[in-house]
Amino acid sequence: MIGDFEHVTFGQRVLFGSGRAAEHVAAEVARLGARRVLLVASDRDERVAQRVSSGVDVAARCSDVRPHVPVANAERARQLASDVDADLIVSIGGGSATGLAKAVALTTGLPILAVPTTYAGSEATNVWGLTEQARKTTGSDDRVLPATVVYDAELTLSLPSALSVASGCNALAHCVDAMWAPRVDPVDRVLAGEGIGALAAGLRAVHADPGDLAGRERMLYGSYLAAVAFASAGSGLHHKICHVLGGAYDLPHAATHTAVLPYVLAFNGPYAPDASERIAAALGSDDAVVGLLELYAELGASHALRDVGFAAADSAEAAAGTVAEAARLILPAVPPGNPRPVGEEELTALLDAAWAGRPPTSVATTGAA
Ligand code: NAD
């Protein structure tokens, strides 16, 4: 049975083509009628950015790209946009570059043309984030949804193997968490299922050969589907946990998502049988958690939070204090509609298992829920 639902499809143009980023960017800038482009790209991406924007008149380049968009950086970029009277922002880079472009769009209303170089997926959402004094604030606003996304898998060939795996698992997390997120609908579930299949196949191919362009294309396609599903469904338990951990303990975004995902899947899965079935099928396994762990084992992906810097140097006894503190911080953010009731005890057990990297199945029956 389908039942009643409301689904919002965002208006966005997507151009997908390997080796075609410069051509697509020039054509889109012309179509949008822009004459004063503010280019947002980090110094690391300078050469790529020059190549991709070669057919465009760039009024100014902002290279002030930092993780989680510090407010001071956003204000400098906004000032630059105003100084050159920009009429379009072209962002080239990972989620941090897209995030800075979104911060400018949020206050100026300028359109964004996004050219992603990771699998973070920010380019397909209307979600923005800003960080001030170690506190990350996020919100949604349609002004920050890029007008156009240009996907070119060749731009992701330079992503180191470990970053490719973490970034791809971050996209997988968008799909898995979308399955039970607050606004999930039947369309999101289909997008998320297709995304998981594409990402798993792409991750395997890229792990075996980082130069496998077809594998990179599957990952990029999967990360787009993941982001569309996530943007529509909203943040579920997994994203709330990672958001708090990332902000409060300054953990790396993609690797934190990678570590936490198997635990949230094992925790929620038994209470969300339809989601579990879809995830298992997309992973080509009889069981969602087993399928995900087999993929992690093949990719050499870690699901221990201490490996990504959470209470990293601590003994189990000392880490217990940080785990308990994190559980208390996360509790108010737990989505009310989560398929399984979540209390402080359950969160503590989940984080404790994730800190040590214990088998995720250990959290399936935790607590009285
Ligand atoms: P990132 O943009 O910080 O990039 C990670 C690292 O990879 C950086 O050092 C970057 O220079 C490098 N890099 C990027 N592309 C590369 C390439 N092709 N080759 C080699 N190196 C490359 O990290 P990310 O994981 O892409 O994005 C994370 C940020 O995006 C976080 O701030 C997160 O909150 C945000 N995000 C937002 C949304 C949203 O919907 N608003 C969704 C996902 C992520």
Side-chain angles (χ1 to χ4, degrees):
M1 202 179 101
I2 301 291
D4 299 356
F5 69 90
E6 177 187 336
H7 176 82
V8 176
T9 301
F10 290 125
Q12 181 179 64
R13 189 174 164 89
V14 173
L15 297 169
F16 201 98
S18 293
R20 301 184 63 186
E23 171 202 341
H24 280 154
V25 165
E28 266 310 281
V29 170
R31 194 185 68 84
L32 293 165
R35 297 184 185 285
R36 292 173 303 281
V37 165
L38 174 69
L39 184 64
V40 173
S42 71
D43 287 329
R44 189 209 67 83
D45 292 316
E46 187 177 0
R47 284 221 325 265
V48 170
Q50 267 177 6
R51 188 158 42 81
V52 170
S53 63
S54 56
V56 173
D57 281 338
V58 173
R61 179 167 82 94
C62 172
S63 59
D64 226 2
V65 175
R66 296 287 174 278
H68 305 300
V69 196
V71 167
N73 296 45
E75 275 163 8
R76 282 195 296 274
R78 288 165 181 160
Q79 186 60 52
L80 187 57
S82 157
D83 289 348
V84 300
D85 196 18
D87 56 5
L88 175 70
I89 310 161
V90 173
S91 66
I92 301 173
S96 298
T98 315
L100 183 59
K102 285 178 163 183
V104 178
L106 183 65
T107 54
T108 61
L110 286 172
I112 301 173
L113 190 171
V115 186
T117 63
T118 69
Y119 309 110
S122 175
E123 68 281 354
T125 82
N126 65 349
V127 179
W128 55 267
L130 283 166
T131 307
E132 191 164 28
Q133 287 164 354
R135 264 203 69 227
K136 185 161 179 177
T137 311
T138 59
S140 7
D141 191 315
D142 288 352
R143 277 180 304 180
V144 309
L145 177 79
T148 302
V149 185
V150 168
Y151 284 110
D152 179 346
E154 282 189 3
L155 303 181
T156 65
L157 286 170
S158 52
L159 264 180
S161 197
L163 205 49
S164 300
V165 167
S167 192
C169 289
N170 180 194
L172 261 183
H174 287 146
C175 295
V176 170
D177 211 31
M179 292 281 188
W180 44 60
R183 300 186 305 270
V184 66
D185 64 55
V187 181
D188 302 333
R189 290 199 177 100
V190 171
L191 294 170
E194 171 75 6
I196 291 170
L199 285 162
L203 274 161
R204 286 190 162 103
V206 168
H207 180 65
D209 173 10
D212 184 333
L213 189 60
R216 295 277 183 188
E217 285 183 346
R218 292 181 100 161
M219 287 187 72
L220 214 44
Y221 167 67
S223 65
Y224 167 67
L225 297 178
V228 174
F230 167 65
S232 168
S235 286
L237 178 64
H238 171 87
H239 277 79
K240 295 296 184 187
I241 292 174
C242 292
H243 178 84
V244 173
L245 290 180
Y249 303 96
D250 194 24
L251 305 182
H253 178 81
T256 303
H257 279 265
T258 306
V260 171
L261 182 63
Y263 295 93
V264 175
L265 177 59
F267 181 82
N268 267 351
Y271 291 69
D274 176 66
S276 289
E277 262 178 45
R278 286 173 189 264
I279 296 164
L283 290 169
S285 173
D286 292 338
D287 181 273
V289 179
V290 170
L292 186 66
L293 291 176
E294 280 173 0
L295 179 64
Y296 272 41
E298 271 182 59
L299 302 173
S302 169
H303 54 76
L305 266 178
R306 63 177 164 187
D307 288 354
V308 305
F310 179 63
D314 291 350
S315 64
E317 292 73 36
T322 314
V323 161
E325 174 194 68
R328 281 193 295 277
L329 287 175
I330 293 165
L331 194 58
V334 170
N338 191 61
R340 179 173 176 179
V342 189
E344 201 171 313
E345 185 192 347
E346 288 80 18
L347 272 178
T348 305
L350 189 156
L351 291 175
D352 185 54
W355 174 79
R358 278 200 291 280
T361 42
S362 64
V363 303
T365 54
T366 303

